[in-house]
Amino acid sequence: MKYNFLLLLALLSITVFAQQSSNIYTDSTVMSSKQYLKGNDYQKDFLLFLNMLENTHPAFAMENPPLDIKKIRKVGYKDLKKFNDSEKFALYLESIVSQLHDGHTYIYCNYPSDTIFPMAFKYLNNEFFIQGVEEGNDEFIGKKIMTVNGFDMYDVMMSFGSLLSCDNDIFLIERFNCITKFCWKDSKYNTQEALTVTCDDGSSLNLNYLSAKEIKWKWVETKPLQSPYQKTQMPFRYEVYPENGICYLQFSSCKDKNTLRFQFQARGFNGMTEEEFEEKIKDIPQFDMFLEEVFDTIKKLDIQTLVVDARSNSGGNSMLCDQLLSWLKPVDEIKSFDSQKRISKLMETNYPNAVGNLFTMNTDADKVFKGNVYFIQDNVTFSSAAMLIVMATDNNIGTVIGEAGSYRPCHFGDVLSYELPNTHVKGGVSHAYFLRPDKDACGENSLIPTIHIQRTWFDFIEGNDPWWQYILNNQ
């Protein structure tokens, strides 16, 4: 059976968010204050935003809150006195939430990208390589970047931190592949408008701003990936390699039919009847049924190794991860995340309806897979998919192989959406803090795989998959 519905899943999820984004945030106490009444639209929404953040995000219920809201309110209210641009206002709010180091709390911003320096780069094995340039600079493709205007490339990337909410530095670097005029203008390393990029061989590439539409790009040539991994619209798929005794399960998105049922039941059908909704999602796969098929095939073919590939999985519904783990260890033996949720007005507007349990686990211990298990993560694996990797690690289920995670193993999450009433700026805010089963390791900034293998530039251009190759070589 083929599951080719990720695009439909995304579209339906967008529909859900459209319903959520009607959550206009208001607070009668704030809106009756003197500051609010005499402020402009930006000052008014700023006060509401800080009230929402302080009363919703778990960080502000902890013993030592990470931000001084009183100080930010005083400075920000003054800064916003002459604001007249909603996009600039959104970026101002993002510069505040980025200090939380929470990739799940963010502002929807339109980052100007129409004017850029004509160089694209890729971060591999803790190094930056030139992946694309304007025609005429072809000889720089593949060279390692050392400095930009005399400053270390890594430090330059870190200077963009206020533009993006991130769990850690890996998350930040993975979200940039070029330097725009907008990013550069506020960087502390912006000592001149032009860029001089120095490479490891001593050569220098001089760059000036260009309109993105006018750039004639020359890109590195790469060979096809030698791996079962596919760039696909499928949320999950599997292949069996009987000659190697391997079942390969590509887990690209933590979403399925029941995920959408849960979202719509919790937040309302927005005028759609249940029958109409079920008709719309009838062809979307259901993960528990998919897992039944996978493990039935494994049993019939006497497969001894399962590979769960979660690279590029940015998350979704963590219940799907629990369902998968229930096939790999008896349910009553699995240690789970603990969550600390803040009950707030925003939570109640995001989840107005109670929903029953839609996600069934494998409760038959005799069906639990007894063979070898590998989990693959890359530096894009995030959110619910990251929780899968952490749960596997802390429960001693299989072996994790891949790159360091772009997430904190103990992290904020479970996003609530909101819209500010005067500027209509939208965003998402965490309302839960998730503690991994191994609480003693909660201070870790990233999860490092048991088998830590970082991709190299050579792997990238030659189409090598070092993680898959390691598994094949160690059967």
Side-chain angles (χ1 to χ4, degrees), residues 136-170:
N137 289 320
D138 306 24
E139 70 272 18
F140 286 93
I141 292 177
K143 291 188 178 183
K144 183 167 66 174
I145 302 171
M146 303 304 291
T147 65
V148 174
N149 291 359
F151 301 105
D152 184 85
M153 178 63 172
Y154 184 88
D155 293 336
V156 170
M157 295 302 299
M158 291 302 102
S159 72
F160 304 148
S162 65
L163 300 174
L164 196 64
S165 298
C166 306
D167 274 27
N168 58 27
D169 294 352
I170 299 170

Side-chain angles (χ1 to χ4, degrees), residues 264-276:
F264 273 85
Q265 290 178 22
R267 295 160 180 163
F269 289 90
N270 197 26
M272 188 185 300
T273 67
E274 188 167 353
E275 290 75 17
E276 290 171 335

Side-chain angles (χ1 to χ4, degrees), residues 231-275:
K231 290 186 177 180
T232 175
Q233 293 184 338
M234 302 178 190
F236 33 81
R237 52 175 287 273
Y238 77 100
E239 295 180 34
V240 177
Y241 298 84
E243 68 279 12
N244 301 111
I246 294 175
C247 176
Y248 172 84
L249 193 165
Q250 183 173 331
F251 195 16
S252 297
S253 179
C254 302
K255 296 177 183 177
D256 75 336
K257 180 181 290 186
N258 277 337
T259 300
L260 295 174
R261 284 186 177 128
F262 175 85
Q263 290 175 325
F264 273 85
Q265 290 178 22
R267 295 160 180 163
F269 289 90
N270 197 26
M272 188 185 300
T273 67
E274 188 167 353
E275 290 75 17

Side-chain angles (χ1 to χ4, degrees), residues 244 246 374 401 453 465-475:
N244 301 111
I246 294 175
Y374 289 96
I401 181 171
I453 301 175
D465 185 340
W467 312 320
W468 176 247
Q469 197 58 50
Y470 177 90
I471 294 168
L472 292 178
N473 292 342
N474 287 272
Q475 276 297 94

